Amino acid sequence: MDESAALDALADTLTKLSTNSSSADLHAQHIRLANSLGDKDQLLVALEMATNYIATPDDVWLPIIDAKAAASDLDTPEGVLEMVAMYSKAEIDYMSFSILKKHLEFLLDRHEYFSGLEVRPDNLGELFSDSWTQEEMAYVVSKGVGDISQSHVLWDQYLNWQLDILEKASMDEKPLLVNIIGESLLSRLQQPHAKASRRQFTGEVGAERALEMWWAGYIDFVNSQGQSVQFWRRATRSAPGSGEVWARYIRFLEREQEPFASEDGMSEDHKEDIGDAYTNALSTNLFTRGGKSDPEIDVEHIVPLVLARAGAEKRAIEGDAAVQLWASTAAHYRMSWAAWVAYTDVLIRTDHHDLARKTFQDMSTKNLDYPEALWDAWHNFEHAHGSLTSLEEALNKMSQAKSQLEMRRAREAEKAYATAAAQYAEQQAAAASVASVSMTERARDSTISEAMDVDTSATVDRKGKRKAEEERPAETAEGKKPRLETPSLPLKRDRENCTVFVADLPSEATEADLKALFKDCGDVRDIKFTRMPETLVATVEFHTRDSVPAALTKDKKRIHDTEISVHLAWRSTLYVTNFPEKFDDASIRDLFGQFGLIFDVRWPSKKFKATRRFCYVQYTSPASAERALELHGRELEPDRAVSVLISNPERKKERSDADANERELYVAGLSKFTTAEDLKGVFETYGPVKEIRLAKDKAGQPKGFAFIDFESETDARAALAANNYELKNRRIAVTLTDTRVRGKNKDDMTESGLGRRADARNRSVRVRNLPADTQEGLLHQFLEKHTLVKRTEVFTALNEAIIELENPAEAGKLLLRTDPVVFGGNVLQFSEEQPGPSRGQPVAPPPASGGMFVPRAAKSRPKAGLGRARKPVVGAAQAQATSSSNAQATEQQSKKGQDDFRKMLG
């Protein structure tokens, strides 16, 4: 058709379109004629006319879009707005991948341009900002979902742009962008697309590995969102040979605990657990390479699968072991609320919810030491894991138990009041009786004293010791009985039961903050802060243990907008024993540090027993201590299983020598005819006597003193009333045993030829400049690495210690040592131990007035032995006699010299 005919046909078509503008055929003919004429302007008019009246495909829209882009100023807000409107109109007609791709490229290009400007145009607004562009691109990509074969092209462009923005973003902006990308990935996964499958089926090199890596990374990314059954089915079907994907699936099953139904069935028979997942993974036969005759394990993929299965089994076994351990602990400490709460906590964490609920129901009415704590735990459990019915049943049962508890406590209070009143009445009656008896005895003793005199047959040797009086036959002590007055016992400070541990404190917390927190709990005795490398902790000690339950309710409260934790100090403390002898403080910290932050490790003093091997490990949280219980029974060396237990002060075994000095009496002034039976008859009136030891010399003759060991400290203190009691015509002296005094009585010679005290001093070294609050056991342990230490005694007030070594040679080596010995950041100073009245005490200064005969200082022990009481002189006569006697004694003493003294001694 020549140009003239074409023009005539074009005119005729336009005439028809004026009356029938919705005819697709006429518009198509209009476009063909305009194109045949080669007139671009006429062709553009035909195309635009068609788009105004009918839905047109992309081969109509693309030339219009190109022409519009060429004619518009895309560097201005007006120009880009026209193009955005053009793309929106074009995409309304048909889903055209070409138009969508062109639209996406336009958005990317303009975003890059406007983002690069130093100053954005004022009238641009939010146009082509990051958020606006992200929304527009997401909308364009969503339109291309229907094209299964090509939608990945749009998605890849969009994802790459998001990742670029994320990389350039600041740290404050990244969390929001990560969430946006995560939502995009979730949305994309639900959309059918064939890119990955196509690459795999076409045999592209590395396609399978890329798919496995993508799934593993994607699972990690959306792990916190929670996944459905279909998600994991799709993952394992898409990458069946990936050990990492299967491992993540197994860990998901372990977290969920309850097996869920597979995709192809919801019946109980089709539920899949960890074992099923592991079997299904191996059944794919994708974890071996080579043929059946010569298979080769694919280590890269089989290792994560096996580790996931083994780890799940290990944790399941440990969980059962923890349940058994706490079950036996609760059964042993059956009245302890802490043991039962810890047991139910383990049951809940291991998903034994039915057993936990039954335990709560059974123990809610028991006579626990603090049942309110168990009720609180039950209440929280039902809110988290129970139904409305179980919650209401628990509340009703707790209400009944609370009423019973209040009634029982009221009865106990009445009974205690009645008992106290009766005891008070008895004490008042006894006091009146004792006062009457005491007056009678004093009158009788005065009469006896007047009639007694010193036996003239008794002689005194050069040392002043009495010889002859005691050679008379033994007589039974009848007549005056031991006094029954019992000295009052001081109240002990119960730190372990009165102290709570406060952790996770803000760094700026003060003592005033803690006092304000616990002000309604009771009187606070002491607060100690400890600043650790990672946290600030404190111990708060109350005056009475009754304040502790109220203090525990402050757990999870806030100080300076920081949530703190409050727990009983002993709940985070472990008693550890039977560990290898080579273990020291560092070894214990390495072993137990893997379970949590260690607050302190306390070692026992070896002052009483050198073979002690135990310690206390205290964490900053009870959860760490509970985790560390898995070490209990583990053999750290052959045939030696370590013992690890929660250190409950109510149930711990008493140390056999902890109060040895408090249960043992020293009795002096005994007749040499006194027997153990005689002493037993006297002291058993105060309580059960465990042992009586009469001191004897090398010839087997009594030395005149003995040690009485009682079963209890209370009875020993009561027996102090026997002081000055008359036994076989001798008044005995009774005091608590002093280890230093006992050492004085050991006059046997040692191998060095010195007395025992002199020999010990010859082997001892004084250590100065100790750190404050030095542990005796820890110092002993440290010094053992430098020398042969036999005994260590720390004097905290002086920051000094005395160490007794194995032999004088070791002491000399230590004193001559030139290189510094650093302990706790302090350089220790060693010096020779000087003789003195007692270790750790300064030597007493010499008397102010000299002279050969300086009176001896009064001893702390009472005088014992024979003697006669002076006749009492009443009133002025007594004062005059005393004054005259003192004057005569002074005059006589001034006239006597040393020769006279020697004559007196014989």
Side-chain angles (χ1 to χ4, degrees), residues 855-861 863:
R856 295 183 179 178
K859 300 291 185 180
S860 60
R861 297 187 181 279
K863 292 289 185 179

Side-chain angles (χ1 to χ4, degrees), residues 455-467:
D455 191 345
T456 56
S457 63
T459 60
V460 180
D461 62 8
R462 296 178 64 90
K463 294 183 180 179
K465 292 185 177 179
R466 188 174 300 275
K467 293 183 177 179

Side-chain angles (χ1 to χ4, degrees), residues 626-795:
E626 291 174 12
R627 287 194 296 268
L629 290 175
E630 72 176 53
L631 292 175
H632 180 70
R634 180 180 298 183
E635 289 191 359
L636 301 181
E637 61 183 19
D639 299 325
R640 185 186 294 277
V642 66
S643 174
V644 181
L645 301 170
I646 297 292
S647 178
N648 188 341
E650 295 293 332
R651 300 292 189 271
K652 70 180 181 180
K653 181 180 179 182
E654 290 189 0
R655 201 180 80 204
S656 60
D657 57 359
D659 59 346
N661 291 347
E662 303 297 327
R663 292 185 284 106
E664 188 177 68
L665 299 182
Y666 172 75
V667 184
L670 296 175
S671 164
K672 68 179 182 180
F673 297 106
T674 302
T675 65
E677 288 299 322
D678 296 330
L679 292 173
K680 185 176 181 181
V682 174
F683 287 97
E684 269 194 339
T685 60
Y686 300 99
V689 174
K690 185 176 181 181
E691 184 182 10
I692 297 176
R693 301 187 303 281
L694 279 167
K696 296 183 180 180
D697 58 18
K698 294 180 180 179
Q701 297 299 316
K703 290 185 175 184
F705 63 90
F707 296 96
I708 313 294
D709 191 5
F710 280 87
E711 293 285 350
S712 73
E713 176 188 345
T714 304
D715 295 338
R717 288 188 174 273
L720 291 174
N723 181 51
N724 210 28
Y725 172 69
E726 185 177 332
L727 179 63
K728 294 190 181 298
N729 296 328
R730 300 288 299 271
R731 290 193 179 274
I732 61 176
V734 182
T735 61
L736 287 173
T737 297
D738 188 339
T739 54
R740 297 170 295 180
V741 173
R742 187 184 298 188
K744 294 177 182 179
N745 294 315
K746 294 184 177 180
D747 55 0
D748 298 336
M749 301 298 287
T750 62
E751 295 179 358
S752 63
L754 301 172
R756 292 188 180 275
R757 291 199 58 162
D759 178 70
R761 187 166 57 245
N762 199 35
R763 293 182 284 105
S764 298
V765 173
R766 182 173 289 269
V767 185
R768 292 184 170 88
N769 197 35
L770 290 175
D773 299 324
T774 294
Q775 289 189 44
E776 204 166 81
L778 199 56
L779 177 63
H780 186 99
Q781 186 183 109
F782 170 78
L783 292 173
E784 281 182 324
K785 299 177 181 179
H786 299 275
T787 186
L788 300 177
V789 184
K790 186 175 181 180
R791 186 175 180 274
T792 302
E793 185 171 2
V794 172
F795 306 104

Side-chain angles (χ1 to χ4, degrees), residues 506 508 557-564:
E508 66 273 18
K557 299 294 184 182
R558 290 183 173 272
I559 294 180
H560 299 309
D561 296 328
T562 299
E563 185 179 281
I564 64 169

